[in-house]
Amino acid sequence: MDYLELLVLRLVNLYQFAVIIYILMSWFPGARESSIGQFLKNIVEPYLEPFRKIIPPLGMLDISGVVALITLEFATQGVRVLFSFFR
């Protein structure tokens, strides 16, 4: 595996974990107002915002985060295919 490919895949994976943590923070009152919550908000909200505009909440359930994570997984597969062309 190429080092650049590995770096890109690790960065996408790290971003996926940031999105998951940010989503789970909504379950705990005041967690998003903490310094870690504010940091994650600054890096995750710009990515989640377009999904929230496209996919409205289903009652009390906001599935836009799940769709965003699935999209990141597709991006991971796309990176793998893209780098396989250069081998």
Side-chain angles (χ1 to χ4, degrees):
M1 191 178 273
D2 188 35
Y3 292 116
L4 182 59
E5 177 185 7
L6 185 61
L7 175 66
V8 171
L9 291 175
R10 294 294 178 212
L11 288 174
V12 172
N13 190 271
L14 183 65
Y15 195 74
Q16 285 174 325
F17 281 122
V19 171
I20 291 169
I21 291 168
Y22 184 72
I23 291 169
L24 292 178
M25 288 178 98
S26 68
W27 295 358
F28 302 100
R32 287 189 176 172
E33 285 75 35
S34 68
S35 59
I36 295 172
Q38 290 299 312
F39 172 74
L40 289 175
K41 179 181 178 182
N42 289 335
I43 63 171
V44 171
E45 274 299 328
Y47 177 68
L48 290 179
E49 187 176 334
F51 291 99
R52 289 194 177 122
K53 288 180 181 177
I54 295 171
I55 304 164
L58 301 172
M60 296 284 295
L61 186 61
D62 181 14
I63 62 167
S64 60
V66 174
V67 174
L69 286 170
I70 292 170
T71 304
L72 277 175
E73 187 57 37
F74 281 131
T76 302
Q77 297 304 319
V79 167
R80 288 187 176 136
V81 169
L82 183 67
F83 276 100
S84 71
F85 286 132
F86 295 110
R87 290 189 188 143

